[in-house]
Amino acid sequence: GALVGAIGLTGALGVGVIEVNREFESLVAGLRGAEGSGERAAAVLKDLRKLAADTPLELAELVKSWTRLRNLGLEPSLETLEAFGNVSAAIPGKKLNDFTEAVADAITGEWERLKELGIRAKKTGNNVDFTFKGITKRVKFNADEITKYLTDIGKNDFAGALRRQGQTLGGMFGRAKEQGKQFLTTIGQSGVTAQLRDLLATLLDLSGGTDHLGVRIGVLIAARLQQLNAWLKRMRVEWPLVWAVFQSS
């Protein structure tokens, strides 16, 4: 029983390592594209992992939001993401990526997502008037000023909401889950995923690809089945003779 349990636990751990690292490597690839170099991506990822460990935000949503903002031509910071997280934490049912997409829409003059968050906007010439909690502020209609205004809402009107959520039972469970995922990521990035990639590459290259490999395996199985079928046919003929000899002895 203990052996079976240990095997099951090891198998579950292996599956967890593979799944978590598949997601992680996909996120890193997107981040590297947004940052333009592996070195810059690694530095950003280090900072985002720390923010994920300190708040209820998941690394995956942090990387996605960062990448989205960078691809919009913006220069996000940890302070920006935490401010966005404050807003999402204060509004039930909203995630960090919801507010990030609201900012992305606002930059292009789309206001519907902001309305869902209680922020109204109206474009006037080269300016945009934002109204939140009855207070209207006019900013230039450009990406930097719009992002700054929405970031300031998170920093001032919802200050501390994200970290307070992190101290709730749900927030602490979320942080524990994220730390578990980071643990599995560390296991994978310490050599396991590299070996898995080599193994998969070897399997894909066998006999020129999966089709040829499938043919070889199919032929091998068919040959063994043919042998089994021939043996059964022979036994069908010979068994009555063997049984008769056994009964007469």
Side-chain angles (χ1 to χ4, degrees):
L3 178 59
V4 172
I7 293 173
L9 181 61
T10 302
L13 179 63
V15 171
V17 169
I18 292 171
E19 289 302 315
V20 167
N21 280 274
R22 281 178 58 189
E23 179 188 36
F24 176 77
E25 293 194 348
S26 176
L27 292 170
V28 170
L31 186 59
R32 186 181 292 115
E35 290 299 322
S37 76
E39 185 177 348
R40 283 175 57 87
V44 170
L45 188 63
K46 181 179 179 181
D47 289 338
L48 295 182
R49 292 185 77 167
K50 185 177 186 306
L51 185 58
D54 292 341
T55 68
L57 296 173
E58 295 182 4
L59 179 63
E61 59 181 338
L62 284 167
V63 172
K64 289 175 182 177
S65 287
W66 183 283
T67 302
R68 182 78 167 105
L69 295 171
R70 288 289 282 142
N71 288 337
L72 288 169
L74 300 172
E75 294 288 341
S77 65
L78 296 185
E79 185 179 43
T80 302
L81 293 186
E82 184 162 352
F84 287 9
N86 281 338
V87 178
S88 62
I91 301 176
K94 296 299 180 182
K95 295 283 191 179
L96 172 64
N97 291 325
D98 294 325
F99 192 66
T100 302
E101 289 302 323
V103 173
D105 284 355
I107 289 172
T108 62
E110 299 291 334
W111 319 117
E112 290 302 315
R113 292 180 193 262
L114 288 181
K115 283 184 182 179
E116 295 176 5
L117 301 169
I119 304 170
R120 291 185 290 113
K122 181 180 180 181
K123 188 172 182 295
T124 306
N126 294 324
N127 300 311
V128 55
D129 294 330
F130 287 109
T131 302
F132 180 64
K133 292 185 176 179
I135 300 174
T136 299
K137 181 174 182 178
R138 173 168 291 185
V139 303
K140 292 291 185 182
F141 183 63
N142 63 55
D144 289 335
E145 290 213 18
I146 289 173
T147 303
K148 182 180 183 305
Y149 170 77
L150 296 172
T151 300
D152 286 344
I153 286 179
K155 289 167 58 178
N156 301 321
D157 294 89
F158 297 103
L162 183 64
R163 301 212 175 234
R164 287 194 297 273
Q165 187 186 73
Q167 297 305 313
T168 66
L169 186 60
M172 294 180 77
F173 269 116
R175 289 168 62 194
K177 178 183 176 183
E178 181 60 31
Q179 288 181 13
K181 290 177 71 173
Q182 292 202 29
F183 173 68
L184 295 178
T185 299
T186 300
I187 292 176
Q189 297 304 306
S190 298
V192 174
T193 53
Q195 291 302 317
L196 283 173
R197 278 194 297 270
D198 287 345
L199 174 61
L200 290 171
T202 300
L203 289 173
L204 291 172
D205 288 341
L206 279 175
S207 301
T210 54
D211 287 344
H212 290 166
L213 177 60
V215 170
R216 292 189 62 179
I217 292 175
V219 169
L220 180 63
I221 293 174
R224 295 296 178 265
L225 289 174
Q226 185 178 34
Q227 292 174 355
L228 175 62
N229 191 31
W231 180 81
L232 289 173
K233 288 180 177 179
R234 190 168 61 252
M235 288 299 296
R236 186 179 62 184
V237 173
E238 297 176 355
W239 179 249
L241 298 175
V242 173
W243 181 249
V245 171
F246 177 77
Q247 285 184 319
S248 63
S249 60

